[in-house]
Amino acid sequence: DSGVTQTPKHLITATGQRVTLRCSPRSGDLSVYWYQQSLDQGLQFLIQYYNGEERAKGNILERFSAQQFPDLHSELNLSSLELGDSALYFCASSVGGDFSGNTIYFGEGSWLTVV
Amino acid sequence: TQLLEQSPQFLSIQEGENLTVYCNSSSVFSSLQWYRQEPGEGPVLLVTVVTGGEVKKLKRLTFQFGDARKDSSLHITAAQPGDTGLYLCAGDGRNTGFQKLVFGTGTRLLVSP
């Protein structure tokens, strides 16, 4: 158990719909990262928040958005869903704001299937 | 275009065999990490290498960072079924202009009893 909690574990939704994925970081961790893992693209970095502020942006689509709340939990919002958005979405957390010297802990992921 | 290419993509071996997984890039990374991901779980950090030429050992796993910090290898001695999983290398991309941890394409290892 990494200490990072993600909900829901699985969800199936139709194209055009909107879903919200939730992440609670490890106790004491200020950074939250979101990753998308698909068979053809591998593990792709989406976005990072540090202590409530956006820290780094990766390959996140405009249809996707995220935020980190004062209690440090984070939500990833996916809208106007397409079949190609089907993937495993991981949340990860770390104490610091960068990767150097920080261990990043991954949650178990949220499986999204768009039908 | 993937910054980090791993080879082989898939490896199926018998228990007791040795293997090496490679992680290559044309970019220099300030540090490089190796993760193992098991089905239904997130990646778990195995090791971080920082210095060019550095070698780290974790039981039967040996990790090496290339002298130029552009590549790395993972060698497993006497593989066990418990070693089965997806192995991912990841580089600190800040030196390449990326403010993010860049993951490799992955090597899926299957160790049969």
Side-chain angles (χ1 to χ4, degrees):
Chain A
D1 182 7
S2 67
V4 179
T5 303
Q6 289 187 248
T7 57
K9 292 193 186 306
H10 300 89
L11 68 163
I12 302 174
T13 190
T15 54
Q17 295 298 305
R18 172 191 171 95
V19 298
T20 297
L21 308 181
R22 194 179 190 280
C23 170
S24 293
R26 287 188 341 139
S27 177
D29 284 359
L30 298 179
S31 268
V32 168
Y33 312 81
W34 286 98
Y35 283 85
Q36 179 193 56
Q37 187 174 42
S38 59
L39 284 177
D40 57 344
Q41 292 292 322
L43 199 59
Q44 299 287 321
F45 170 71
L46 296 179
I47 198 165
Q48 177 199 357
Y49 281 84
Y50 176 74
N51 204 21
E53 301 285 329
E54 183 182 303
R55 183 69 173 241
K57 215 166 187 175
N59 303 321
I60 189 166
L61 300 172
E62 287 190 7
R63 299 183 286 109
F64 296 179
S65 65
Q67 56 183 329
Q68 186 179 28
F69 295 89
D71 66 353
L72 300 178
H73 90 271
S74 178
E75 292 180 355
L76 178 66
N77 300 296
L78 315 175
S79 62
S80 302
L81 285 167
E82 303 174 358
L83 295 178
D85 297 328
S86 296
L88 185 54
Y89 290 85
F90 282 109
C91 172
S93 72
S94 68
V95 172
D98 60 42
F99 305 110
S100 178
N102 279 297
T103 296
I104 297 176
Y105 297 88
F106 283 81
E108 293 185 345
S110 291
W111 277 101
L112 171 65
T113 301
V114 183
V115 297
Chain B
T1 303
Q2 289 283 356
L3 279 180
L4 285 166
E5 294 286 344
Q6 289 185 238
S7 61
Q9 290 185 356
F10 181 75
L11 190 56
S12 180
I13 61 172
Q14 295 295 119
E15 182 176 1
E17 291 185 36
N18 301 331
L19 67 118
T20 301
V21 174
Y22 299 93
C23 173
N24 294 295
S25 176
S26 57
S27 301
V28 175
F29 290 93
S30 56
S31 66
L32 199 138
Q33 299 181 327
W34 283 93
Y35 291 78
R36 180 169 66 215
Q37 183 180 7
E38 298 184 20
E41 298 182 9
V44 176
L45 179 66
L46 297 174
V47 77
T48 300
V49 286
V50 178
T51 306
E54 181 177 3
V55 176
K56 280 192 174 179
K57 290 192 174 185
L58 184 65
K59 296 183 180 178
R60 294 176 293 99
L61 278 60
T62 301
F63 305 84
Q64 183 161 9
F65 201 11
D67 291 340
R69 306 205 317 275
K70 292 183 178 182
D71 55 84
S72 181
S73 64
L74 157 60
H75 182 79
I76 302 180
T77 304
Q80 304 293 312
D83 296 327
T84 293
L86 176 66
Y87 288 81
L88 297 161
C89 64
D92 181 340
R94 284 175 296 165
N95 283 354
T96 65
F98 294 92
Q99 296 290 327
K100 61 188 178 186
L101 195 63
V102 179
F103 278 85
T105 50
T107 294
R108 199 167 294 277
L109 172 65
L110 174 63
V111 182
S112 303

